[in-house]
Amino acid sequence: MKQLIQSGLCLLFTIQAFSQDVTVPYRIGNVFGISDYNGKLIRKKTYDKINYNRKMPKGYFTFSDKDQKGITFNGKTLVSGPDYGEFGVEKNKFIVAEIRSKHSEGELKFKNKTDFVNYQNRRDGGYALFNLKGENLYPDNFKKLQPVDTTGVSSKDPKRSRYALLAATTFDKRYSLVVYDCDKQKISDWLLKDYYKVNLERDSYVPGKSISLKAAKEQQDAATAMQIYYRDGKFAIRPLTTEYSPNGKEAREGRYDTEYGSGSRLGRGTEVTNEVPLPPAYGNVKQPMEADSDIPKEKVVKKYLNHAFEIKDGKLFLVERNTAVKESQTTAFLMPPTPAGKNYSFESIKYGYDVVDTNEKRINQKNLIRFKSGDQYGMLISQELIIPAQYDSIVPLRIYDSGRGNPLYFIVATKDNMSQKLNFGLIDINGKPIIPIQYEELDPYVLKYSGDRELTDYNKNWRFKKNGKYGVMKPLGEIVLPAEYDEIEMNKKDFWYHQDDFLSLKKEGLYGLIIDKNFKEQNIIPPVFPYKVGFFDRNYQKQDGLYLFGLLDSEGKFMCYARKDGFLYQKEK
């Protein structure tokens, strides 16, 4: 009892700790608001749809509301409009909004190059720059906007940078270098403004020291070499001279750790003198001969052979090809005798792997033959290796094993005498049972994301079924999830900006999941959700150990968020 009380208190304190600053989209009927971690709404404002992007800082959400699309911070609308697309937030700095184009380029036709250039230069689309208050800092907007670097120390937090440098392109194809003051939330300087040409030389960029570039103010001007440098915690720009050349001492010390720079002989080689004799050349040193080494030994010439089975008129032939002489020999292949009234039928399965590799020869087997005698199946693996026809089903499978060369196995099935239902198991090339033939299903493919049923299997998790329930085992039979679930399947839903690669579980009408398909106890989320899980967010809003799960309705569309303990961020009106 004491342990249960302590566990309950631990969960309570965890929820209280998260609830202080964690916010979650909360569904109310068919609209969404923002709640704290405990599900308490923090604002009355609601939206048609709210999206969480784990790349954004804590508290920021994008939303859609009627014809408006925007961004909110903990339920407070910062930017909203009909023309916005995606949003990005640089933590403690600024917001960038993509402006959707009003035209479809696929439908446009241009009479001449001038019309095409005018279209390219149109003030349509592009990007808008906002401060964290939602104020547009350049109402004309930019065609392109790219963060370059940061410098200085914020007066609000010494761990933050004070200034951000942005490279901007206008719709008139003019280039600028913009300095943004993160503390004052405004553009504080333009190092270059409306230049005809600006080329940043990334190869000579020394972080925290200098950035070299070439710029021309007008088309007729020659490009001038310049350098952005860092002075008193701010960005500054100057003409690039020999004294400040990126190939000079300042750049070298910035690019390479001085501890391994001058003074270190690493990578420079070692000067050889007469006092240090040269080492003997490898392979040219004669070793003392053993007493019988003068006896000539017969040289063994290894043969490299390709074997392939051919089916002609219901008969089987073996084609052997010597790769050295490029000659082939075809001989009839004799199968074991069949019981009276039964004949063989053959099916070729592409293979292409070595079945023999000795000092004398290597045989590459191009195909396998699955054969049928009566109602039973067997497998012809090579000229010397055959699995008799004693199974109701047999399927070859090479299991990835870096230490054993991807050995060949077979999933086989036999009918139960009473129920006439198939039971499945795994055998090796000698017919030795590896996994007992006792499972109602043994599927190495169904839990793969791609679902491809290839001869070589790289999936580490196989689904099996026993007594009507599903479980998961490793390829050679180690059970990692007991057979107690009504459904186990690979999640096939794709959700951008969320984690959607996991195994879905269902038991007694409730849903759970296996995070990352890793069967450690902490990654098994037991079935506690009334709806299927479509995605999850690990370390939600940068909170270590905090998971949030996205649940789906019967049509596979997002329904609501849920906590790990099964609490739903949802209520009716």
Side-chain angles (χ1 to χ4, degrees), residues 214-401:
K214 291 183 179 179
K217 180 64 177 177
E218 301 297 341
Q219 184 174 5
Q220 65 271 18
D221 297 338
T224 302
M226 299 182 180
Q227 184 184 59
I228 300 170
Y229 65 104
Y230 306 79
R231 180 182 63 191
D232 299 329
K234 296 182 179 181
F235 292 105
I237 193 166
R238 60 191 172 195
L240 183 62
T241 62
T242 304
E243 180 181 358
Y244 302 111
S245 170
N247 297 318
K249 182 174 183 295
E250 178 188 12
R252 287 201 305 274
E253 291 182 349
R255 290 188 209 173
Y256 306 105
D257 191 332
T258 54
E259 182 180 354
Y260 300 101
S262 59
S264 171
R265 300 194 62 83
L266 292 177
R268 299 186 182 183
T270 303
E271 196 172 312
V272 179
T273 67
N274 293 331
E275 298 176 2
V276 183
L278 290 172
Y282 292 105
N284 295 329
V285 180
K286 294 184 179 181
Q287 302 295 334
M289 297 181 67
E290 298 179 3
D292 61 348
S293 62
D294 56 340
I295 302 175
K297 295 182 179 180
E298 183 179 352
K299 185 177 180 181
V300 178
V301 179
K302 187 171 183 176
K303 293 183 178 180
Y304 292 87
L305 306 173
N306 289 336
H307 280 189
F309 293 109
E310 286 189 358
I311 305 169
K312 293 182 179 179
D313 299 326
K315 297 181 180 180
L316 199 60
F317 296 86
L318 176 64
V319 180
E320 180 179 275
R321 181 174 182 270
N322 190 321
T323 59
V325 297
K326 298 182 180 180
E327 293 181 352
S328 298
Q329 182 179 358
T330 302
T331 58
F333 188 85
L334 298 179
M335 293 288 291
T338 60
K342 294 184 178 180
N343 297 316
Y344 284 116
S345 61
F346 303 104
E347 175 190 357
S348 178
I349 299 174
K350 186 178 179 181
Y351 190 54
Y353 296 94
D354 294 339
V355 291
V356 174
D357 191 0
T358 65
N359 292 332
E360 292 78 23
K361 62 183 176 180
R362 177 184 293 175
I363 300 177
N364 183 272
Q365 187 68 44
K366 294 301 182 182
N367 63 339
L368 308 174
I369 296 294
R370 178 162 46 207
F371 60 90
K372 185 178 181 182
S373 175
D375 294 328
Q376 301 290 289
Y377 292 89
M379 188 71 66
L380 180 58
I381 303 169
S382 68
Q383 184 181 12
E384 301 172 349
L385 198 57
I386 185 170
I387 295 176
Q390 59 187 29
Y391 300 102
D392 293 285
S393 172
I394 183 168
V395 177
L397 183 70
R398 296 181 78 240
I399 299 176
Y400 177 72
D401 187 341

Side-chain angles (χ1 to χ4, degrees), residues 50-319:
I50 296 180
N51 297 314
Y52 166 70
N53 182 343
R54 69 173 185 266
K55 295 183 178 180
M56 285 191 177
K58 183 186 301 184
Y60 287 92
F61 301 93
T62 58
F63 67 84
S64 300
D65 195 35
K66 298 180 176 61
D67 63 338
Q68 304 287 301
K69 191 167 184 178
I71 189 167
T72 171
F73 179 70
N74 286 338
K76 180 182 179 181
T77 301
L78 300 177
V79 179
S80 178
D83 299 326
Y84 297 120
E86 299 295 326
F87 288 85
V89 180
E90 289 291 330
K91 187 177 181 180
N92 302 314
K93 296 179 179 67
F94 50 80
I95 300 170
V96 176
E98 176 195 30
I99 302 172
R100 293 179 292 188
S101 173
K102 297 178 181 178
H103 303 88
S104 173
E105 295 190 19
E107 299 176 357
L108 295 177
K109 295 182 180 180
F110 305 100
K111 295 180 180 179
N112 50 50
K113 185 176 180 180
T114 301
D115 287 349
F116 176 70
V117 171
N118 291 336
Y119 166 75
Q120 284 189 313
N121 294 337
R122 73 197 187 286
R123 294 183 182 275
D124 180 35
Y127 298 88
L129 179 64
F130 297 88
N131 61 19
L132 299 182
K133 300 176 184 177
E135 299 169 340
N136 192 329
L137 302 177
Y138 190 75
D140 285 341
N141 300 325
F142 300 101
K143 189 171 184 178
K144 294 181 181 179
L145 193 62
Q146 178 67 46
V148 178
D149 203 356
T150 59
T151 192
V153 179
S154 170
S155 61
K156 299 180 179 180
D157 185 343
K159 295 181 181 180
R160 301 178 190 169
S161 299
R162 172 70 185 266
Y163 300 99
L165 180 64
L166 306 172
T169 306
T170 66
F171 290 95
D172 298 321
K173 284 195 174 181
R174 289 283 173 163
Y175 301 91
S176 302
L177 291 174
V178 184
V179 179
Y180 177 80
D181 188 327
C182 303
D183 284 2
K184 294 185 179 180
Q185 292 285 292
K186 67 177 185 178
I187 295 175
S188 60
D189 193 10
W190 297 72
L191 296 185
L192 300 176
K193 188 172 184 181
D194 295 336
Y195 269 58
Y196 170 75
K197 184 178 182 180
V198 176
N199 288 332
L200 296 177
E201 298 179 354
R202 294 288 185 179
D203 292 341
S204 61
Y205 171 37
V206 183
K209 287 186 174 290
S210 63
I211 304 173
S212 298
L213 60 95
K214 291 183 179 179
K217 180 64 177 177
E218 301 297 341
Q219 184 174 5
Q220 65 271 18
D221 297 338
T224 302
M226 299 182 180
Q227 184 184 59
I228 300 170
Y229 65 104
Y230 306 79
R231 180 182 63 191
D232 299 329
K234 296 182 179 181
F235 292 105
I237 193 166
R238 60 191 172 195
L240 183 62
T241 62
T242 304
E243 180 181 358
Y244 302 111
S245 170
N247 297 318
K249 182 174 183 295
E250 178 188 12
R252 287 201 305 274
E253 291 182 349
R255 290 188 209 173
Y256 306 105
D257 191 332
T258 54
E259 182 180 354
Y260 300 101
S262 59
S264 171
R265 300 194 62 83
L266 292 177
R268 299 186 182 183
T270 303
E271 196 172 312
V272 179
T273 67
N274 293 331
E275 298 176 2
V276 183
L278 290 172
Y282 292 105
N284 295 329
V285 180
K286 294 184 179 181
Q287 302 295 334
M289 297 181 67
E290 298 179 3
D292 61 348
S293 62
D294 56 340
I295 302 175
K297 295 182 179 180
E298 183 179 352
K299 185 177 180 181
V300 178
V301 179
K302 187 171 183 176
K303 293 183 178 180
Y304 292 87
L305 306 173
N306 289 336
H307 280 189
F309 293 109
E310 286 189 358
I311 305 169
K312 293 182 179 179
D313 299 326
K315 297 181 180 180
L316 199 60
F317 296 86
L318 176 64
V319 180

Side-chain angles (χ1 to χ4, degrees), residues 470-488:
Y470 291 99
V472 179
M473 68 170 62
K474 295 298 181 183
L476 298 182
E478 178 192 357
I479 294 178
V480 293
L481 197 67
E484 58 183 43
Y485 297 92
D486 301 317
E487 290 180 9
I488 300 177

